[in-house]
Amino acid sequence: MFGMNQRTMTVREFTTQAQKSDFLKVIEEIDRLGCVPKNRNSTKFSIAYPPENPRFYPPKYVLMRAAEIRFGVHLSPCSGGRVTNTPLRDIFNFEIVDDHPSNIPEK
């Protein structure tokens, strides 16, 4: 899937080394650009951020983009759902909402 020289990490490897600020950088990037790449919105779960007046961001894209920014790596392919939502919720204290697709325009 990725080039032969492209380094990959698992979600678990990344989340043990990541910081909440890594994910906030991605959220800021999405807000600045006003969009996510085509077909990268979530279909079921979203990160609701900020808590007081949330927008809804795609958890899998936020996690994968944070790994690219922080370490210059791609995450090993995963299905999303529990694999991405659990660390975002339990380690980094993001609110994950079910049955609410992300609503960021795609480019």
Side-chain angles (χ1 to χ4, degrees):
M1 179 170 206
F2 303 116
M4 296 281 280
N5 297 325
Q6 183 63 53
R7 196 172 136 223
T8 63
M9 296 179 111
T10 65
V11 169
R12 183 181 194 104
E13 289 170 329
F14 174 62
T15 56
T16 60
Q17 299 176 54
Q19 298 175 1
K20 187 167 186 168
S21 62
D22 297 323
F23 305 105
L24 294 176
K25 286 177 187 173
V26 176
I27 289 171
E28 290 170 4
E29 177 182 75
I30 292 169
D31 288 345
R32 186 178 71 252
L33 296 173
C35 62
V36 295
K38 189 169 178 65
N39 298 319
R40 296 310 309 218
N41 264 310
S42 62
T43 57
K44 186 170 182 182
F45 299 99
S46 290
I47 297 171
Y49 188 85
E52 55 280 347
N53 188 21
R55 290 187 68 193
F56 299 94
Y57 300 89
K60 186 175 174 182
Y61 175 74
V62 169
L63 191 78
M64 296 181 110
R65 181 70 180 125
E68 291 173 359
I69 292 171
R70 172 83 189 258
F71 296 112
V73 300
H74 287 284
L75 294 182
S76 300
C78 68
S79 61
R82 186 181 319 171
V83 173
T84 56
N85 297 339
T86 299
L88 287 169
R89 183 189 61 236
D90 295 350
I91 299 170
F92 302 104
N93 299 311
F94 283 105
E95 180 182 1
I96 304 296
V97 292
D98 190 2
D99 291 326
H100 196 299
S102 57
N103 58 358
I104 308 296
E106 294 183 345
K107 177 178 169 187

